[in-house]
């Protein structure tokens, strides 16, 4: 027989023993018993152990996360787990999880979808962080795996000529007309698509706002009568991501950022005054953009109209491209700090890395470089 007393986290010493036909066998079995031993747990973690499955760990982890994060984030976590992780690692025991298993999982997901790989890594890191806290693992194996790194594409902003062309395409689409072979213009039958698309484009290029924050605007957030007209973005629309969810207005900006007030250029003030004077028959939320049934205009529906209006040669242009276009113009005119302030970022790093088109034409330095010319 081999025995040893182990002092657990509660301060108490407990006897662990094992038997074998020989002393060596008894010591070996005792060592195995110590490795696999489950020390007494506080009541809040009693439902889990080293031999619990990853599916059981996910159930515990997601229940804890619901207390601290938004419902749409929880939906994203659940979707990542159910779509990518559950079948692959759900039945593996917590104690069996290694960096190799995590790396294989994330790499296989990344071959299909890079966004799914990033979200799955977040989920796995959170879950196994719980396992470390509960002393089921000595360290979090996710930290030993590389982050999924998609190939970064260069930021591209619209040129003035491209913006004029885009405006014209949106205008023609919103007219809901056809031109026959003789040049006769006739209205199309049916409901007019993209009725608000021109004004949405105008406000996106006038403010640099995100599409969800723009569509969440109410008229009391717009000040057109002050000497300096402004609009304040303080909410966003959350698009449903799972069956049973509905579009709703979230009373804070992305990332719980503080409200952002921007000054409106004259062309936007003119367009908004015209829009304010238009009759609205059912608008219970006093929204700038409202459907015929009095609901918020969905960003998904705007993007659908946008794709139909822009044409195939502008398939790289999304509503978010206009945010990059604004950032690039403001940076060129006033500097990167001004672009950061216009977009409401916490620092210039995000603005420079993801929203400003890089200058690819160096200034004329030929006079200075000519000093290196060979002497005759």
């Amino acid at each position: 027989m081999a025995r040893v007393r182990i002092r657990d986290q509660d301060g108490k010493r407990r006897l662990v023993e094992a038997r074998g036909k020989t002393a060596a066998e008894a010591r070996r079995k005792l060592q195995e018993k110590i490795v696999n031993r489950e020390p007494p747990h506080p009541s809040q973690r009693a439902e889990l152990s080293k031999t619990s499955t990853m599916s059981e760990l996910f159930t515990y982890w997601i229940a804890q996360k619901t207390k601290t994060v938004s419902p749409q984030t929880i939906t994203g976590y659940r979707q990542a787990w159910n779509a990518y992780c559950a079948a692959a690692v759900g039945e593996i025991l917590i104690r069996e999880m290694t960096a190799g298993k995590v790396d294989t999982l994330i790499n296989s997901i990344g071959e299909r979808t890079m966004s799914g790989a990033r979200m799955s890594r977040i989920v796995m890191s959170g879950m196994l962080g719980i396992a470390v806290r509960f002393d089921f693992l000595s360290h979090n194996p996710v930290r030993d795996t590389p982050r999924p790194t998609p190939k970064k594409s260069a930021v591209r902003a619209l040129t003035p000529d491209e913006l004029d062309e885009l405006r014209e395409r949106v205008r023609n689409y919103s007219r809901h007309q056809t031109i026959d072979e003789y040049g006769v213009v006739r209205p199309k039958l049916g409901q007019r698509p993209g009725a608000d698309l021109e004004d949405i484009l105008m406000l996106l290029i006038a403010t640099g706002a995100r599409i969800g924050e723009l569509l969440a605007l109410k008229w009391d957030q717009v000040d057109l009568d002050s000497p300096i007209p402004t609009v304040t973005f303080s909410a966003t629309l959350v698009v449903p991501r799972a069956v049973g969810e509905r579009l709703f207005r979230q009373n804070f900006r992305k990332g719980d950022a503080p409200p952002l007030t921007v000054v409106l250029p004259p062309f936007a003030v003119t367009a908004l005054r015209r829009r304010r004077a238009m009759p609205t028959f059912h608008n219970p939320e006093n929204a700038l953009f409202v459907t015929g049934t009095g609901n918020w205009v969905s960003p998904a529906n705007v993007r659908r109209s946008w794709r139909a209006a822009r044409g195939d040669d502008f398939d790289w242009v999304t509503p978010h491209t206009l945010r990059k276009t604004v950032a690039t113009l403001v940076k060129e005119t006033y500097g990167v700090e001004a672009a950061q302030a216009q977009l409401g970022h916490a620092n210039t790093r995000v603005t420079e890395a993801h929203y400003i088109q890089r200058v690819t034409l160096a200034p004329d330095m030929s006079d200075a470089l000519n000093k290196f010319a060979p002497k005759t």
Side-chain angles (χ1 to χ4, degrees):
M1 175 183 291
R3 61 178 62 183
V4 66
R5 289 189 179 274
I6 296 179
R7 187 171 185 269
D8 290 317
Q9 286 188 344
D10 58 5
K12 295 181 180 180
R13 294 182 179 274
R14 294 179 174 87
L15 180 66
V16 181
E17 59 184 27
R19 296 177 182 272
K21 294 181 179 179
T22 65
E25 183 182 3
R27 286 193 296 269
R28 180 177 57 80
K29 289 184 176 180
L30 178 63
Q31 187 63 34
E32 292 176 356
K33 201 168 185 178
I34 292 172
V35 171
N36 297 322
R37 175 177 177 270
E38 292 293 339
H41 301 305
S43 58
Q44 66 267 27
R45 63 180 76 171
E47 59 194 270
L48 293 173
S49 70
K50 288 183 181 180
T51 55
S52 297
T53 64
M54 289 294 289
S55 290
E56 292 170 330
L57 178 60
F58 175 78
T59 300
Y60 179 89
W61 176 76
I62 201 70
Q64 302 305 307
K65 296 300 289 185
T66 56
K67 303 173 184 177
T68 58
V69 301
S70 64
Q72 58 267 29
T73 302
I74 293 297
T75 298
Y77 290 159
R78 290 188 185 277
Q79 288 178 336
W81 172 259
N82 293 330
Y84 309 119
C85 304
V89 299
E91 297 306 310
I92 295 178
L93 305 184
I94 296 174
R95 72 183 185 195
E96 296 173 337
M97 288 303 300
T98 62
K101 287 186 173 68
V102 175
D103 192 51
T104 300
L105 172 66
I106 300 304
N107 285 337
S108 66
I109 299 171
E111 293 174 357
R112 291 173 284 166
T113 163
M114 193 56 64
S115 61
R118 290 197 299 268
M119 181 61 79
S120 297
R121 190 178 188 277
I122 292 171
V123 171
M124 293 295 293
S125 180
M127 292 169 57
L128 293 175
I130 289 282
V132 173
R133 283 172 47 203
F134 288 180
D135 295 320
F136 301 154
L137 295 174
S138 60
H139 71 288
N140 190 333
V142 177
R143 296 184 178 179
D144 296 328
T145 63
R147 296 177 184 273
T149 53
K151 183 179 179 181
K152 184 179 178 182
S153 57
V155 175
R156 184 177 178 184
L158 287 158
T159 66
D161 289 342
E162 288 172 334
L163 180 58
D164 288 341
E165 174 64 23
L166 182 64
R167 278 198 185 101
E168 185 62 25
R169 295 186 185 194
V170 169
R171 186 177 297 115
N172 290 336
Y173 175 80
S174 298
R175 285 185 183 132
H176 199 44
Q177 295 173 340
T178 60
I179 302 177
D180 65 18
E181 57 184 321
Y182 303 106
V184 178
V185 178
R186 291 188 174 88
K188 289 183 180 179
L189 299 177
Q191 186 177 2
R192 180 185 175 195
D196 296 319
L197 203 56
E198 286 186 74
D199 286 344
I200 290 172
L201 169 60
M202 177 272 302
L203 277 176
L204 287 174
I205 207 65
T207 62
R210 299 181 179 92
I211 184 66
E213 294 176 1
L214 178 67
L215 296 177
L217 281 175
K218 297 184 178 183
W219 279 109
D220 57 12
Q221 296 172 254
V222 181
D223 184 358
L224 301 178
D225 302 317
S226 295
I228 301 178
T230 61
V231 58
T232 299
F233 298 100
S234 60
T236 189
L237 295 185
V238 177
V239 178
R241 302 176 63 178
V243 177
E245 292 184 350
R246 300 183 63 183
L247 179 75
F248 70 95
R249 185 178 189 266
Q250 174 181 276
N251 292 320
F252 51 89
R253 296 172 59 225
K254 180 182 177 182
D256 206 12
L260 174 67
T261 299
V262 300
V263 178
L264 291 168
F267 73 87
V269 175
T270 300
L272 284 173
R273 283 176 175 161
R274 169 189 53 77
R275 187 172 186 86
R276 187 173 61 179
M278 293 169 54
T280 303
F281 300 102
H282 184 45
N283 190 2
E285 298 287 351
N286 197 30
L288 263 69
F289 298 98
V290 64
T291 68
T293 56
N295 296 320
W296 299 102
V297 173
S298 170
N301 290 340
V302 171
R303 291 189 178 96
R304 188 179 300 111
S305 297
W306 183 274
R307 290 191 293 270
R310 71 188 177 191
D312 292 340
D313 52 335
F314 271 2
D315 59 358
W316 59 275
V317 180
T318 67
H320 212 62
T321 305
L322 301 181
R323 185 167 167 83
K324 299 175 184 179
T325 301
V326 169
T328 299
L329 176 63
V330 173
K331 183 263 181 183
E332 291 174 352
T333 309
Y334 301 105
V336 66
E337 289 81 7
Q340 170 210 342
Q342 180 73 32
L343 269 56
H345 290 149
N347 54 60
T348 59
R349 181 179 56 82
V350 173
T351 313
E352 289 185 291
H354 302 289
Y355 289 91
I356 295 176
Q357 181 172 296
R358 292 185 63 180
V359 175
T360 56
L361 177 63
D364 185 357
M365 301 294 182
S366 57
D367 286 344
L369 295 172
N370 197 47
K371 295 180 180 178
F372 296 142
K375 299 184 183 300
T376 57

